[in-house]
């Protein structure tokens, strides 16, 4: 097993919530004083070029994120040692059934349904660790709808909790295994997508002109139940 095969061999997706203060504000949430996270199933992965499905009755929103791929197993990993446990990265979109999430929040219930549908974690190919020497200066962007208007544009420098501190926190609770993915949070600008839309997103070093990776997905209504 290796980090490069995370798409097929990874065992869990750990998704950090509200790690950009402006995103927390746009959804009416207070910025957290400590990291918090939820889990997503790896069955929600969707490779680049796939089709994002909109389940019946769901108001589905996009959330673009830097994904950290674990390359070395670890438990109680300190922030100082965190980079030794990173095998690489990816660009991901945490699709969210916002109406179901809001209902769950009001009732104090988990977000598993709102976050866990098939196709709800579109993700790029593996990005080698050496391609991103500094996780604190990564530009993330996302466009949606047929006209391709920018929806989200952010930089990881605005994270409340940086990547090493996230690994420290998560690994103090559960063991991180090779191929696990940590979604590190989304910048402001989240919004709905509809059947017929095209979602495109990219990731680049803060001072660079070219993207390290680009992803693109068509959106369609889910068939079946």
């Amino acid at each position: 097993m290796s980090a490069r095969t995370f798409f097929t061999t990874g065992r869990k997706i750990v998704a950090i919530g509200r790690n950009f203060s402006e995103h927390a504000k746009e959804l009416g949430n207070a910025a957290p004083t400590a990291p918090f996270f939820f889990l997503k199933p790896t069955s929600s992965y969707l490779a680049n070029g796939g089709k994002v499905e909109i389940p019946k009755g769901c108001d589905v929103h996009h959330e673009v994120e830097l994904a950290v791929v674990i390359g070395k197993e670890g438990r109680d990993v300190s922030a100082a040692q965190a980079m030794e446990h990173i095998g690489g990265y990816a660009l991901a979109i945490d699709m969210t059934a916002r109406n179901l999430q809001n209902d769950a929040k009001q009732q104090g219930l988990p977000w598993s349904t709102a976050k866990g549908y098939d196709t709800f974690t579109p993700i790029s190919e593996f990005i080698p660790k050496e391609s991103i020497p500094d996780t604190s200066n990564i530009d993330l962007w996302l466009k949606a709808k047929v006209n391709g208007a920018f929806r989200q544009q952010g930089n990881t420098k605005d994270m409340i909790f940086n990547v090493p501190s996230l690994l420290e926190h998560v690994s103090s609770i559960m063991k991180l295994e090779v191929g696990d993915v940590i979604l590190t949070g989304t910048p402001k600008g989240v919004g709905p997508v509809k059947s017929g839309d095209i979602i495109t997103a990219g990731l680049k070093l803060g001072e660079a002109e070219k993207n390290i990776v680009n992803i693109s997905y068509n959106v369609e209504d889910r068939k079946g139940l």
Side-chain angles (χ1 to χ4, degrees), residues 65-80:
E65 313 204 11
L66 171 67
V68 173
V69 184
I70 300 303
K72 177 184 175 183
E73 185 176 289
R75 186 167 176 255
D76 293 324
V77 176
S78 70

Side-chain angles (χ1 to χ4, degrees), residues 5 8 15 24 29 51-52 58 73 79 90 93 95 98-101 116 133 140 157 164 173 186 191 195 208 213:
T5 61
T8 54
N29 298 310
K51 294 180 179 179
V52 173
C58 290
E73 185 176 289
I93 307 173
M95 305 303 298
R98 191 71 72 201
N99 56 327
L100 301 185
Q101 184 191 36
L140 306 169
K157 70 178 185 292
I173 299 166
T186 193
S195 180
V213 70

